[in-house]
C-alpha cells in the first residue's frame, strides 16, 4: 500500500498591510501620524493586529513613503492636515484612487509629501492596491514636541477607526458584507 500524499495546495501570497504614520514629530501636530502608530502598537498588546500589518513611520521623504507602501494590498497613511477654514481636530478619511484623471480632486490629500508620493507612485506603477488616508487637521505646526490637546484627543479615535477597517478585512464580524460598519459609534 502506497502512503497517502496530499496534493499541493495553491498558495497565494499573504495580504500585505502597510500602516504608515507620516509627518514630523518635532513640529507639534505634524506628529499626529507618529502618535497614531505608537497608539496602534500599544493597543496591539491587548488586541493584536493582523499578522500582515506592518507599522512604520515616515518623516516626509516621498521615496521612503513609496518604499513603505509598495506591493501593499492596503496602505493606510495617517497624516496631519492644514487647511482652511481652520477646524483643528477634524478627521478626514480619504480613499485615494490609483489613477489620476488629469485634474485635482477635492478628495485628494493636501499634504505636499503625500501628494508627491502618490503622483510618483502612479507614474512608476507602484501604488498600493488600495490607499486610505486619515488626515487630522492640526492646530500647531511650529517647532516643538507634543500634540496640541485637541489633536491629542483624536489619536485614540483614529487608531480605533483603523482597527475597525482592518477587522473588515479579516471578516470577523465588525463589518457587514456590503462594507458598512455595524458599530453604533458616530462616523468620524
Amino acid at each position: 500500500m502506497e502512503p497517502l500524499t496530499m496534493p499541493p495546495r495553491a498558495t497565494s501570497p499573504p495580504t500585505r498591510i502597510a500602516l504608515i504614520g507620516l509627518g514630523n514629530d518635532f513640529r507639534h501636530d505634524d506628529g499626529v501620524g507618529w502618535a497614531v502608530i505608537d497608539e496602534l502598537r500599544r493597543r496591539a498588546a491587548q488586541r493584536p493586529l493582523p499578522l500582515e500589518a506592518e507599522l512604520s513611520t515616515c518623516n516626509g521623504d516621498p521615496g521612503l513613503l513609496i518604499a513603505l507602501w509598495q506591493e501593499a494590498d492596503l496602505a493606510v497613511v495617517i497624516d496631519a492636515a492644514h487647511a482652511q477654514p481652520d477646524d483643528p481636530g477634524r478627521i478626514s478619511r480619504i480613499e485615494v484612487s490609483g489613477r489620476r484623471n488629469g485634474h485635482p480632486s477635492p478628495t485628494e490629500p493636501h499634504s505636499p509629501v503625500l501628494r508627491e508620493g502618490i503622483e510618483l507612485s502612479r507614474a512608476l506603477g507602484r501604488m498600493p492596491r488600495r490607499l486610505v488616508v486619515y488626515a487630522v487637521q492640526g492646530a500647531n505646526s511650529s517647532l516643538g514636541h507634543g500634540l496640541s490637546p485637541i489633536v491629542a484627543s483624536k489619536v485614540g479615535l483614529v487608531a480605533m477607526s483603523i482597527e475597525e477597517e482592518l477587522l473588515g478585512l479579516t471578516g470577523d464580524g465588525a463589518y457587514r458584507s456590503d462594507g458598512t460598519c455595524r458599530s453604533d459609534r458616530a462616523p468620524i
Side-chain angles (χ1 to χ4, degrees):
M1 177 181 243
E2 297 205 16
L4 292 174
T5 58
M6 297 297 290
R9 286 192 311 202
T11 58
S12 60
T15 301
R16 181 167 175 267
I17 302 167
L19 305 176
I20 306 165
L22 179 61
N24 181 343
D25 71 340
F26 293 106
R27 292 194 69 90
H28 290 289
D29 291 344
D30 198 47
V32 68
W34 291 47
V36 170
I37 293 296
D38 287 344
E39 178 67 12
L40 286 167
R41 284 185 179 122
R42 277 191 292 277
R43 293 166 72 114
Q46 306 291 315
R47 181 177 170 186
L49 294 169
L51 293 175
E52 303 83 10
E54 300 169 10
L55 287 87
S56 307
T57 55
C58 178
N59 64 359
D61 175 0
L64 175 59
L65 184 61
I66 293 167
L68 292 172
W69 73 34
Q70 181 176 304
E71 298 179 9
D73 292 304
L74 170 65
V76 178
V77 177
I78 308 96
D79 194 13
H82 303 283
Q84 296 298 326
D86 225 10
D87 190 7
R90 180 170 186 235
I91 301 168
S92 300
R93 182 194 176 280
I94 304 163
E95 191 142 358
V96 180
S97 169
R99 295 179 224 210
R100 182 74 170 165
N101 60 7
H103 56 320
S105 161
T107 61
E108 288 288 311
H110 300 304
S111 161
V113 171
L114 186 53
R115 197 171 41 243
E116 186 178 337
I118 291 168
E119 290 304 317
L120 191 53
S121 285
R122 285 175 175 150
L124 297 172
R126 297 204 171 147
M127 281 291 286
R129 189 167 290 147
R130 200 171 140 225
L131 175 60
V132 175
V133 177
Y134 283 88
V136 181
Q137 192 167 16
N140 181 359
S141 62
S142 66
L143 288 176
H145 192 69
L147 302 176
S148 65
I150 187 71
V151 171
S153 73
K154 304 300 180 173
V155 168
L157 179 59
V158 174
M160 183 175 66
S161 296
I162 291 168
E163 288 172 334
E164 287 181 0
E165 188 135 359
L166 297 178
L167 287 173
L169 293 176
T170 61
D172 69 355
Y175 285 76
R176 296 185 178 117
S177 60
D178 65 357
T180 59
C181 183
R182 279 193 232 178
S183 171
D184 57 358
R185 184 176 60 79
I188 57 175

